[in-house]
Each structure stands twice: as structure tokens, then as C-alpha cells.
Amino acid sequence: MKIILPTTVALKKGIFRLNMNAYRNANHYTLSEAKIKYQEIVAPLVQHLPKLNQISLSYELFAGSARRMDVSNGCAIVDKFFSDSLVNLGYLPDDDYKHLLGVQYLFGSIDKGNPRVEVTIHPI
């Protein structure tokens, strides 16, 4: 099951980029708003999913520029927000190691017109 996820969310005060640098520098109000908005985006994307018990996730980053970056920097917060959304929306009991058995980050390519992260859910 592959789902295309955004790498940004629109907040009251502008665009929040889902990467480690923005996450580290944001205050908790901004992070809370970003997480809520991200879940609102994710909800219709996962509505076709069955209830899951154990999964692994593979994230593939399609960067919006040729600027060098760490793949984990671009995927870690997407992973955090997406995994939490699966739990909050009732598709996964928890995102602990008993239910989320593995996470993989991959570099897809550069796509200036459509930066994104594609997640593949692997039921176990």
C-alpha cells in the first residue's frame, strides 16, 4: 500500500517544512498545529486502509531541489507525524516496537515540481 505524503503543511503563520531542522527550531505551539494539520491531510489518504496490527514502513524521499541533504532529515518528521496519525485515526493500535516493527528511509530522486515522500505500508 503506497501513499503519497506532503513534506510541508500550511499553518497560520506560514509554511512548516517537515524536516529535523524546522522541528528542532519550532516551539511546541507550532509543532502541535503542524501535527494537527498533517493528520487532517493524512485522514482522507488512509481512509481505504484496513485496521492494521503489525506493520513496517518504507519512506522514499523525492526532494524539491538538488541541494544535498540527509535522507533521514527529510523523512524523520514525516515518519513521526504519519505514524502518530495512523494511531490517532485508529488504523494502528500504537507506533511502538510491537506494532511498528521497522522503518526504512530511501532516496527516490529530485522532483522540483512535486517534492514529496512516498510511504509504503508493509503489513506483517
Side-chain angles (χ1 to χ4, degrees), residues 26-39:
N27 66 51
H28 66 280
Y29 295 111
T30 300
L31 294 177
S32 178
E33 182 186 359
K35 199 171 190 180
I36 290 167
K37 294 286 185 184
Y38 201 78
Q39 185 171 306

Side-chain angles (χ1 to χ4, degrees), residues 64-78:
S65 76
R67 197 174 104 210
R68 288 180 57 180
M69 66 181 295
D70 298 340
V71 175
S72 61
N73 186 9
C75 292
I77 303 308
V78 171

Side-chain angles (χ1 to χ4, degrees), residues 58-69:
S58 298
Y59 293 92
E60 190 170 3
L61 174 66
F62 293 85
S65 76
R67 197 174 104 210
R68 288 180 57 180
M69 66 181 295

